[in-house]
């Protein structure tokens, strides 16, 4: 990950208003309730109407002064809002009609075999076809199933994916009145497409669902199978609207215990013990050829060193895996998020590259600020839920992977100037984004694991002193 | 849907149906939403994607998510009732019989045909846009008119990056519609001899609710669907109590009663962002934070909130319900509503 990535995940550009009609960013007020007249005028069919009048930007008043002009403006805004939001989603039959069926129990007992983030148990909507490129970042064909079962090779959507598609007007979701075999029986790839909408043959199959019904069927409480909590859906949709790719986070396979942790353990054992044997003073009389030696003796308080994920014992892992669907600590990584960058071409949803952001979703109403234990759970403790891997700031990156102790020997811990130190501290050793949702409004916070102990400033003193001393 | 006139007065209207889904309160009907906005100073947050332009986060669409406080206030005022859609919908859909389905599909088919007619009509008028634009634009005001072209273009592109480009294209669309529709007409199989209609995804399920069948599987929520049929008077709606009401409810109800509009206060570190009028038109005046009457308030919180509020040109408002036998001095604050709520405003003066 580059340094640039640690900007907040809010989209820098709002494509809708990216052109000249960008409303002024009211720094002193929330930019939330926008002027729908402006939006209305940007919609294509509105063009002729809007060109005639001056588009008022989203300007506001301090308070009501009872004039008719003000009332008129407010009423115009409301009318525009009503017009825009009174829109009904339509699907033009041959090409843009993507139909999905709600079959919540098809995969209810499907055993999760591979850890590839299939989440088959939660996939409740099946698409009739995967035309279009929507399938690029959403939906999966459930592997490991009987290939001859009906709709076995179709794309299945997670609840948040299906609801997002319905909401953006890209999916026509139907409630089946028959079982899945009947619904998919007569359908070759093209059959049924020539017939007009709502023909007689549709009648026995089922009914189309409204947006309201889609919410009622796909939104649930945490732990409901085949449903997604509203705040998680809202974060998903918010990120998708901004152009990010979003997949559910896959659990991390437990990391192998490496030699490195053993080394650290040994050093930890040696260090304080050696010092403890010493009577006062801390820095005894003797010959010190560098500041480093002196400061090393002064370092009494152990500092936090970012280390790889603390593993739980295998039994603990299986225990926790059993409770995966229970209502659990919300502070865990739930979504993986990718920038829509140049690497987009090589993106595959089955084997995605390492994500750019890891996002946890919490509800502001029910969750307080994370406790230290929750922070450790989010960042360090990988049991069932995935934990951000160690991602040291760049100068450390090479050293940390090859030899964790190398920074002891080198002069100047990470190199670079003092500015680089702050940059590294800010970047942290690993991070997770927490999306806080309050009544539908989303804020993103980035929690990073900092390591002040790794930035040994005193090594600079030697580096400054050296040229003079040596000369 | 949008055909209902907006001039329905505040009183003789059937109570608004609040969809409860998994403990959240949602509104799907735009007429209901505008009604509450006009007559009951409830605006709340649009949380959905706008289908006309789905790649942006500024202009949000249906549904509206109500805070539990708002739902409770509306229920108390008897202008709304709460309906558990998460339970109702699966039950209702599972018991649909074939005639009902057929009737429902027929109604949608009709709607789809209308949508197509409107779309073609507006496309026709769109081409010679220099002359006729102004005159006919009224006609395109019907619900499905606006952006029938959007789905076509956007769905054929990728969801991600390309979509963004397309949307931008749409906005610069000085290119006449005939140009953009050219690829369509090449690929289109059916010629437009006779309208086949579009598929329709309705916003609400009211069409299904209107069917007068009685279903026994309903959850035992007394003010159930009869009111949709118009049979239930406003008075008969029994106020259900909203669960997960926060402790700050008295403060909310107090300010709401005074005519203020409120939004969730997440972005200003408070409970509610308080507007003197419709946020469409007015800046907010206060960031309101609830404090229990007996709670200790640390000075640091007052300074922090006051400073933040002053920086964003708002007053930092502290308030809470008066408990026990506090001597209620004749203050304007406690006069109007029955529940005694006191509020205080802090301004960060100087350093």
């Amino acid at each position: 990950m580059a340094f640039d990535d640690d900007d907040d995940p809010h989209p820098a550009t709002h494509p809708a208003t990216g052109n000249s009609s960008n409303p002024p960013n009211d720094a002193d007020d929330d930019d939330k309730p926008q002027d729908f007249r402006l939006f209305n005028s940007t919609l294509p069919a509105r063009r002729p109407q809007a060109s005639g009048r001056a588009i008022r930007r989203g300007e506001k008043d301090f308070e009501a002064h009872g004039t008719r002009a003000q009332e008129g403006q407010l009423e115009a805004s409301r009318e525009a809002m009503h017009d825009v939001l009174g829109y009904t989603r339509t699907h033009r039959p041959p090409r843009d009609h993507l139909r999905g069926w709600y079959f919540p129990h098809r995969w209810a007992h499907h055993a999760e075999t591979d850890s590839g983030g299939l989440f088959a148990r939660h996939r409740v909507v099946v698409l009739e076809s995967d035309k279009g490129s929507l399938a690029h970042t959403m939906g999966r064909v459930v592997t490991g199933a009987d290939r001859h079962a009906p709709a076995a090779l179709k794309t299945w959507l997670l609840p948040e994916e299906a609801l997002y598609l319905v909401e953006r007007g890209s999916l026509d979701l139907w409630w089946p009145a028959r079982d899945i075999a009947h619904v998919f029986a007569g359908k070759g790839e093209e059959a049924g497409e020539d017939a007009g909408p709502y023909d007689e043959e549709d009648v026995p199959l089922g009914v189309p669902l409204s947006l309201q019904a889609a919410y009622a069927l796909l939104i649930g409480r945490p732990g409901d199978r085949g449903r997604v909590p509203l705040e998680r859906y809202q974060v998903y949709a918010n990120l998708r609207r901004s152009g990010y790719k979003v997949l559910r986070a896959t659990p991390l396979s437990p990391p192998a215990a490496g030699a490195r942790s053993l080394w650290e353990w040994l050093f930890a054992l040696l260090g304080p013990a050696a010092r403890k044997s010493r009577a006062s003073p801390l820095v005894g009389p003797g010959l010190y050829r560098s500041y480093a030696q002196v400061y090393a003796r002064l370092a009494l308080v152990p500092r936090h060193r970012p280390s790889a994920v603390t593993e739980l014992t295998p039994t603990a892992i299986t225990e926790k895996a059993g409770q995966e669907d229970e209502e659990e600590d919300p502070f865990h990584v739930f979504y993986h998020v990718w920038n829509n960058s140049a690497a987009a071409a090589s993106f595959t949803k089955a084997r995605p590259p390492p994500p750019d952001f890891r996002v946890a979703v919490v509800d502001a109403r029910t969750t307080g600020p994370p406790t230290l234990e929750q922070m450790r759970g989010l960042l360090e403790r990988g049991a069932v839920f995935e934990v951000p891997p160690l991602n040291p700031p760049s100068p450390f990156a090479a050293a940390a992977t090859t030899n964790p102790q190398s920074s002891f020997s080198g002069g100047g811990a990470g190199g670079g100037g003092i500015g680089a130190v702050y940059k590294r501290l800010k970047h942290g050793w690993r991070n997770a984004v927490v999306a806080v949702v309050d009544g539908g409004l989303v804020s993103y916070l980035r929690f990073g694991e900092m390591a002040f102990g790794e930035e040994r400033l005193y090594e600079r003193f030697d580096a400054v002193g050296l040229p003079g001393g040596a000369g | 849907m949008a055909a209902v006139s907006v001039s329905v007065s505040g009183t003789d209207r059937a109570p608004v149906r609040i969809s409860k889904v998994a403990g959240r309160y949602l509104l799907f009907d735009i007429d209901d939403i505008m009604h509450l906005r006009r007559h009951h100073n409830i605006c709340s947050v649009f949380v959905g994607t706008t289908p006309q332009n789905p790649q942006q986060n500024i202009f949000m669409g249906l549904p509206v998510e109500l805070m539990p406080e708002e739902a409770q206030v509306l229920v108390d005022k008897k202008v709304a009732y709460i309906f558990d859609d998460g339970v109702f919908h699966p039950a209702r859909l599972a018991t649909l019989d074939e005639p009902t389905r057929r009737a429902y599909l027929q109604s949608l088919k009709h709607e789809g045909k209308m949508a197509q007619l409107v779309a073609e009509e507006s496309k026709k008028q769109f081409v010679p846009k220099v002359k006729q634009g102004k005159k006919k634009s009224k006609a395109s005001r019907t619900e499905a008119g606006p952006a029938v072209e959007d789905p076509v273009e956007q769905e054929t592109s990728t969801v991600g990056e390309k979509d963004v480009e397309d949307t931008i294209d749409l906005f610069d669309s000085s290119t006449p519609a005939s140009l953009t529709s050219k690829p369509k007409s090449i690929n289109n199989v059916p010629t437009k001899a006779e309208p086949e209609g579009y598929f329709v995804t309705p916003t609400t399920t009211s069409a299904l609710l209107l069917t007068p069948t009685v279903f026994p599987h309903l959850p035992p929520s007394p003010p159930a669907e009869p009111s949709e049929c118009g049979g239930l008077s406003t008075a008969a709606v029994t106020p259900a109590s909203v669960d997960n009401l926060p402790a700050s409810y008295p403060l909310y109800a107090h300010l709401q009663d005074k005519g203020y509009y409120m939004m969730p206060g997440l972005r200003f570190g408070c409970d509610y962002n308080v507007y003197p009028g419709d946020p469409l038109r007015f800046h907010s005046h206060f960031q309101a934070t609830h404090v229990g009457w007996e709670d200790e308030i640390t000075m640091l919180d007052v300074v922090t909130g006051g400073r933040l509020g002053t920086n964003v040109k708002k007053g930092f408002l502290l308030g809470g319900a008066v408990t026990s036998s506090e001597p209620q001095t004749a203050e304007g604050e406690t006069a109007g509503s029955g529940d005694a709520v006191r509020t205080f405003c802090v301004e960060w003066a100087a350093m």
Side-chain angles (χ1 to χ4, degrees):
Chain A
M1 202 197 295
F3 268 130
D4 302 344
D5 285 343
D6 48 13
D7 291 329
D8 74 343
H10 269 305
T13 57
H14 298 297
T17 51
N19 51 16
S20 58
S21 63
N22 208 344
N25 207 358
D26 252 347
D28 65 328
D29 203 348
D30 48 328
D31 45 345
K32 173 64 190 166
Q34 294 289 328
D35 193 341
F36 271 83
R37 286 173 294 168
L38 176 63
F39 183 53
N40 209 357
S41 64
T42 55
L43 294 174
R46 298 280 167 201
R47 284 257 154 190
Q49 189 188 0
S51 57
R53 74 169 177 235
I55 295 174
R56 299 181 65 85
R57 305 202 157 182
E59 59 190 42
K60 297 187 182 182
D61 297 335
F62 179 69
E63 60 191 358
H65 34 65
T67 58
R68 207 174 293 164
Q70 191 183 40
E71 274 169 27
Q73 281 168 346
L74 177 56
E75 196 49 40
S77 288
R78 282 173 170 166
E79 284 291 334
M81 179 187 248
H82 193 282
D83 278 358
V84 170
L85 299 179
Y87 175 83
T88 301
R89 294 161 176 80
T90 54
H91 314 271
R92 205 183 158 95
R95 270 185 56 204
D96 333 310
H97 184 232
L98 177 64
R99 181 151 67 169
W101 294 88
Y102 178 69
F103 283 107
H105 304 304
R106 175 66 179 87
W107 302 109
H109 305 294
H110 188 75
E112 191 83 355
T113 47
D114 58 344
S115 58
L118 195 53
F119 301 105
R121 294 179 57 235
H122 297 282
R123 298 195 176 268
V124 292
V125 171
V126 57
L127 299 180
E128 280 188 0
S129 69
D130 11 310
K131 57 189 173 186
S133 40
L134 293 169
H136 194 56
T137 51
M138 45 199 339
R140 288 283 294 275
V141 174
V142 176
T143 52
D146 179 15
R147 295 176 67 85
H148 301 293
L153 299 178
K154 299 289 184 184
T155 303
W156 287 77
L157 298 178
L158 288 169
E160 63 267 28
E161 296 170 338
L163 187 51
Y164 174 67
L165 285 183
V166 170
E167 203 173 74
R168 81 193 291 282
S170 308
L171 173 68
D172 187 13
L173 184 62
W174 281 56
W175 172 277
R178 299 288 196 83
D179 60 14
I180 191 165
H182 277 97
V183 169
F184 281 90
K187 287 199 168 49
E189 273 306 306
E190 296 304 318
E193 301 229 344
D194 295 334
Y198 310 123
D199 269 331
E200 202 53 27
E201 66 178 47
D202 279 338
V203 174
L205 294 182
V207 288
L209 292 172
S210 64
L211 176 69
Q212 185 179 9
Y215 264 85
L217 296 175
L218 298 173
I219 295 295
R221 297 189 184 266
D224 288 358
R225 184 190 61 79
R227 290 169 179 248
V228 63
L230 185 59
E231 67 269 14
R232 287 187 186 155
Y233 168 69
Q234 283 166 345
V235 168
Y236 176 85
N238 184 284
L239 290 168
R240 289 301 308 269
R241 282 192 295 264
S242 307
Y244 292 95
K245 299 187 177 72
V246 185
L247 294 177
R248 280 199 186 182
T250 53
L252 197 68
S253 53
R260 187 183 157 184
S261 53
L262 188 67
W263 270 115
E264 281 185 335
W265 176 72
L266 270 180
F267 269 88
L269 211 64
L270 279 179
R275 282 190 205 111
K276 229 174 259 170
S277 67
R278 220 169 272 275
S280 60
L282 278 176
V283 184
L287 188 59
Y288 298 99
R289 299 199 59 92
S290 73
Y291 284 114
Q293 291 170 324
V294 178
Y295 278 96
R297 285 172 191 242
L298 289 173
L300 283 181
V301 183
R303 298 291 201 124
H304 172 69
R305 298 199 62 191
S307 58
V309 170
T310 6
E311 312 97 58
L312 297 183
T313 58
T315 53
I317 290 178
T318 47
E319 263 171 34
K320 285 203 81 170
Q323 315 162 349
E324 180 195 355
D325 283 345
E326 304 299 314
E327 187 156 354
E328 78 293 293
D329 182 20
F331 284 96
H332 69 262
V333 174
F334 192 74
Y335 288 122
H336 280 175
V337 180
W338 289 265
N339 277 325
N340 206 345
S341 60
S346 62
F347 184 89
T348 52
K349 61 191 177 187
R351 299 201 170 280
D356 296 324
F357 304 101
R358 293 169 169 82
V359 179
V361 182
V362 301
D363 179 12
R365 292 279 177 132
T366 57
T367 321
T371 61
L372 182 61
E373 198 50 40
Q374 285 174 319
M375 282 315 302
R376 293 195 63 192
L378 176 63
L379 290 173
E380 288 181 11
R381 196 159 294 158
V384 176
F385 300 109
E386 194 248 11
V387 156
L390 214 53
N391 172 31
S394 52
F396 279 128
T401 46
T402 53
N403 176 12
Q405 304 306 326
S406 67
S407 51
F408 275 120
S409 51
I418 197 77
V421 171
Y422 296 129
K423 213 171 171 185
R424 282 199 299 275
L425 282 175
K426 220 182 147 196
H427 178 280
W429 282 63
R430 68 183 127 216
N431 66 73
V433 175
V434 175
V436 187
V437 184
D438 180 17
L441 305 176
V442 188
S443 286
Y444 295 97
L445 307 174
R446 178 180 177 277
F447 286 90
E449 182 176 353
M450 300 169 83
F452 281 93
E454 298 299 292
E455 302 289 346
R456 275 179 277 279
L457 293 176
Y458 56 78
E459 288 172 6
R460 284 170 202 285
F461 305 155
D462 287 333
V464 172
L466 265 179
Chain B
M1 236 155 282
V4 181
S5 86
V6 287
S7 60
V8 182
S9 87
T11 48
D12 57 353
R13 203 176 187 283
V16 169
R17 182 185 193 274
I18 300 177
S19 290
K20 183 181 176 187
V21 178
R24 306 302 191 97
Y25 304 96
L26 301 170
L27 293 175
F28 287 90
D29 191 326
I30 184 64
D31 294 319
D32 286 348
I33 292 164
M34 296 317 286
H35 169 73
L36 295 181
R37 209 176 176 106
R38 285 196 170 90
H39 301 288
H40 298 284
N41 56 297
I42 295 276
C43 54
S44 209
V45 186
F46 287 96
V47 294
T49 309
T50 321
Q52 296 100 313
N53 182 4
Q55 293 298 136
Q56 44 88 30
N57 274 314
I58 301 174
F59 296 100
M60 303 288 289
L62 301 174
V64 154
E65 182 180 350
L66 292 175
M67 295 185 279
E69 301 92 300
E70 291 170 317
Q72 180 69 62
V73 160
L74 290 175
V75 168
D76 284 347
K77 289 166 104 178
K78 297 192 196 318
V79 293
Y81 63 99
I82 289 165
F83 196 90
D84 197 332
D85 262 344
V87 179
F88 166 75
H89 263 92
R92 173 73 180 125
L93 287 163
T95 54
L96 279 185
D97 53 351
E98 182 143 343
T100 321
R101 281 207 308 272
R102 190 184 304 274
Y104 184 51
L105 289 181
Q106 279 305 316
S107 73
L108 284 184
K109 185 169 190 167
H110 177 71
E111 199 174 336
K113 278 186 178 168
M114 294 305 294
Q116 186 177 11
L117 287 178
V118 168
E120 276 160 13
E121 177 72 13
S122 78
K123 197 185 284 175
K124 264 184 221 153
Q125 87 174 45
F126 199 46
V127 181
K129 74 179 197 181
V130 197
K131 299 269 162 63
Q132 282 192 328
K134 267 202 172 155
K135 230 183 173 185
K136 278 207 181 174
S137 57
K138 274 266 160 59
S140 72
R141 190 169 273 228
T142 28
E143 40 178 290
V148 205
E149 275 113 64
D150 296 16
V152 180
E153 295 186 9
Q154 288 175 359
E155 276 170 30
T156 47
S157 64
T158 57
V159 174
E161 201 172 48
K162 268 183 108 183
D163 219 342
V164 175
E165 285 166 19
D166 265 15
T167 353
I168 287 169
D169 257 311
L170 276 181
F171 282 92
D172 301 334
S173 64
S174 44
T175 46
S178 57
L179 248 180
T180 46
S181 66
K182 236 171 207 164
K184 259 183 271 163
S185 53
I186 293 170
N187 290 342
N188 258 357
V189 190
T191 47
K192 285 150 201 153
E194 168 239 357
E196 284 197 309
Y198 293 161
F199 281 98
V200 174
T201 301
T203 311
T204 69
T205 322
S206 51
L208 270 183
L209 293 170
L210 276 171
T211 51
T213 35
V214 183
F215 8 90
H217 305 281
L218 267 184
S221 55
E225 86 299 333
S227 63
E228 290 286 333
C229 310
L232 205 63
S233 72
T234 328
V237 176
T238 51
S241 168
V242 169
D243 47 355
N244 54 46
L245 264 188
S248 55
Y249 176 68
L251 175 65
Y252 177 87
H254 175 73
L255 292 173
Q256 218 277 338
D257 186 59
K258 299 280 177 221
Y260 287 100
Y261 285 68
M262 271 168 283
M263 302 271 274
L266 174 74
R267 276 174 293 200
F268 295 97
C270 54
D271 290 330
Y272 310 106
N273 202 11
V274 184
Y275 295 80
D278 194 324
L280 274 179
R281 192 66 222 164
F282 302 107
H283 292 293
S284 86
H285 284 190
F286 304 109
Q287 29 162 173
T289 301
H290 167 261
V291 184
W293 192 250
E294 305 287 348
D295 287 0
E296 297 264 331
I297 306 173
T298 63
M299 206 57 217
L300 193 61
D301 284 346
V302 177
V303 174
T304 316
R307 176 153 195 197
L308 169 66
T310 308
N311 274 350
V312 294
K313 296 183 188 162
K314 300 186 203 323
F316 176 52
L317 189 149
L318 291 165
V322 181
T323 56
S324 74
S325 56
E326 280 293 321
Q328 289 192 21
T329 49
E331 295 267 344
E333 292 296 345
T334 56
S337 56
D339 54 340
V341 174
R342 294 281 304 272
T343 53
F344 301 90
C345 192
V346 176
E347 192 178 344
W348 188 76
M351 187 149 66

